[in-house]
Amino acid sequence: MFHIHVLETEGLGNRSYLAGGGRAAVVVDPPRDVDRVIAAAARRGVRIVAVAETHVHNDYVTGGLELARLTGARYLVPAGALVDYARVAVADGDVEEIEAGLGLRAVATPGHTPHHTSYVLEEDGRAVAAFTGGSLLLGGVGRPDLVEPRLTDRLARAQHASVRRLATELDDEVAVLPTHGFGSFCSAGQSGGGHATIGAAKATNPALLKDVETFVAELLAGLDDVPAYYAHMGPANSAGPAPMDLTAPERADAIEIARRLAAGEWVIDLRDRRAYAQGHVAGSLNIEVAGQLATYLAWLIPWGKPVTLLAETADEITRAQRELARVGIDRPAAAAVGSPADWAGDGVPLASFPRATFADLAAARERGAEPVVLDVRREAERSQGWIEGSVHVPVHQVHQRLDEVPAGTVWVHCAGGMRAAIAASALDAAGREVVAVDDGYAAAAAAGLTLVTPAQH
């Protein structure tokens, strides 16, 4: 009997897979922190004999090269991928034997990238699962615009054809196991769910329900913002990433933290946004370690800028360091554990700002106040409707567009509170008076705030 073990990387919205039989296994699209993969294989009592990449990833640094080196496994990479290291170049139809009766067949599925390849797990010659990477996702497809703008239309059409090829060649009961689509910005539209089959995809996936012209038009119209750090992931993966370094960073005291802030470096407070709002080191930014830390810090920070981490416990620093290394932020410049009073130093006052709800915002307006309302959601979210009179700057652009935020007290909101806290911390660090709206966007209408829809605009 075959087995498939799922390795979640929730902060990035991705999944990797360990699949095999009683003695041997293959790993598909491994994360950079390969210790997780090796531990999973040890628990199963299997030897990793092959590591397979569906494509050169644009959203995270792969651990494939390092995993193959550590285990002696064959490293399978699509033949069309331009990489600077030795690997087994995989072409359409190639089969990699995992153990007797269990093999992995390559299926060319261009679209997410020109060289994208899916892998079909076959037991005694019968397909049982398809590792579809960034091709066929659960309810959608991988976005086609991450490689080169001139290729986007062509890749979107290839994506439609590739998904249909999988649906045509595989039986309905074959499991569909994508890498992207669980919150990843690599997916076109947010898909999810625990698992699916080819049969389920036929009933729900737009690529299988719409003609190519309709599919391509809707796919391209619905593409969302691309995290800025994606531009660095493909080159890193093509060159061959270095092993992940999780040794503890240099410890910083209050004087060192102040020095780094004065030098224009980024100091990130990893605490819960509620605790941060109550008191924090002036000039620090807040990105919760429990949120999408890697995505938003890597998206916001100028690439290569030194970062210092602040947290209540050493375990939180370790967790943050692991998450950041997955997207190429390899070594924090420094770190500090404790409380804001420790980090600020004796006699240095802490900064703070209030939190509020949409009902509080409505009440402020009713009292005649004219607060600046800053919407930091993404463009695609904003296009579905917004609070009347609000200003829009997506969270990942706030630190670059501070001069576009009107004078006055700024009430910052997003869809749920996390991104509003990030933006509020950036405004606070710049010396602005700010209120963080920590509330679900659905409460805005219930609070009596006037919402504008595109049709009304």
Side-chain angles (χ1 to χ4, degrees), residues 8-376:
E8 296 266 7
T9 304
E10 294 182 356
L12 298 178
N14 285 330
R15 290 179 178 175
S16 306
Y17 302 94
L18 173 76
R23 299 180 307 279
V26 60
V27 180
V28 181
D29 288 345
R32 193 179 186 191
D33 43 340
V34 298
D35 56 327
R36 290 196 293 151
V37 183
I38 292 171
R43 288 192 296 269
R44 278 279 179 184
V46 295
R47 183 169 64 92
I48 297 172
V49 298
V51 177
E53 302 281 10
T54 56
H55 59 294
V56 173
H57 302 281
N58 287 292
D59 63 327
Y60 70 95
V61 179
T62 181
L65 186 62
E66 176 66 1
L67 183 60
R69 184 187 69 82
L70 290 173
T71 62
R74 285 163 58 82
Y75 191 25
L76 315 180
V77 178
L82 300 177
V83 296
D84 298 335
Y85 46 81
R87 91 286 198 201
V88 178
V90 177
D92 184 56
D94 288 352
V95 177
E96 181 74 15
E97 184 180 34
I98 301 171
E99 63 178 41
L102 196 65
L104 196 70
R105 177 166 57 87
V107 180
T109 48
H112 187 46
T113 67
H115 60 264
H116 190 283
T117 299
S118 299
Y119 297 95
V120 176
L121 185 67
E122 296 179 332
E123 185 178 48
D124 297 326
R126 179 179 64 90
V128 292
F131 301 102
T132 55
S135 183
L136 173 59
L137 308 186
L138 307 188
V141 298
R143 58 193 301 166
D145 61 328
L146 301 180
V147 177
E148 160 60 51
R150 293 171 297 176
L151 297 178
T152 298
D153 183 80
R154 187 190 316 169
L155 289 177
R157 294 175 184 278
Q159 191 71 294
H160 185 268
S162 292
V163 169
R164 291 186 167 230
R165 178 186 178 186
L166 290 171
T168 300
E169 295 184 3
L170 300 176
D171 294 337
D172 284 357
E173 64 270 19
V174 172
V176 175
L177 301 168
T179 300
H180 304 311
F182 309 96
S184 167
F185 285 92
C186 261
S187 62
Q190 296 304 307
S191 53
H195 63 278
T197 61
I198 291 292
K202 289 178 179 177
T204 60
N205 197 287
L208 300 174
L209 296 174
K210 299 176 180 179
D211 65 85
V212 63
E213 297 299 334
T214 302
F215 169 79
V216 169
E218 294 182 358
L219 177 67
L220 299 186
L223 292 174
D224 209 342
D225 300 337
V226 178
Y229 71 91
Y230 276 24
H232 304 280
M233 299 298 95
N237 289 324
S238 294
M244 180 181 276
D245 181 1
L246 295 178
T247 54
E250 172 190 332
R251 292 298 180 182
D253 59 14
I255 295 174
E256 178 70 5
I257 291 169
R259 184 187 71 78
R260 291 187 177 278
L261 283 168
E265 296 184 10
W266 283 41
V267 174
I268 307 300
D269 189 326
L270 301 170
R271 292 177 301 146
D272 174 89
R273 59 183 182 266
R274 298 160 186 85
Y276 175 88
Q278 290 174 359
H280 55 269
V281 176
S284 66
L285 301 182
N286 177 224
I287 306 180
E288 297 173 304
V289 71
Q292 291 179 282
L293 169 67
T295 293
Y296 283 103
L297 179 54
W299 199 341
L300 288 163
I301 195 168
W303 198 250
K305 175 79 81 172
V307 58
T308 295
L309 303 177
L310 309 179
E312 293 176 333
T313 69
D315 285 346
E316 290 171 327
I317 296 292
T318 299
R319 174 181 173 181
Q321 188 175 350
R322 179 180 289 266
E323 292 197 15
L324 295 176
R326 291 171 180 160
V327 294
I329 301 177
D330 285 332
R331 296 292 300 149
V337 172
S339 70
D342 301 324
W343 307 328
D346 294 340
V348 179
L350 298 177
S352 65
F353 53 76
R355 294 168 45 248
T357 65
F358 282 112
D360 295 326
L361 173 58
R365 282 185 164 181
E366 288 174 2
R367 292 193 299 269
E370 297 184 2
V372 177
V373 179
L374 178 64
D375 180 350
V376 298

Side-chain angles (χ1 to χ4, degrees), residues 367-409:
R367 292 193 299 269
E370 297 184 2
V372 177
V373 179
L374 178 64
D375 180 350
V376 298
R377 296 174 300 160
R378 297 189 306 276
E379 196 72 51
E381 296 171 284
R382 172 85 173 182
S383 68
Q384 301 303 307
W386 58 90
I387 295 172
E388 185 178 44
S390 63
V391 178
H392 181 231
V393 181
V395 64
H396 55 276
Q397 298 177 6
V398 166
H399 66 296
Q400 299 170 323
R401 298 170 58 186
L402 290 169
D403 58 345
E404 296 180 30
V405 181
T409 300

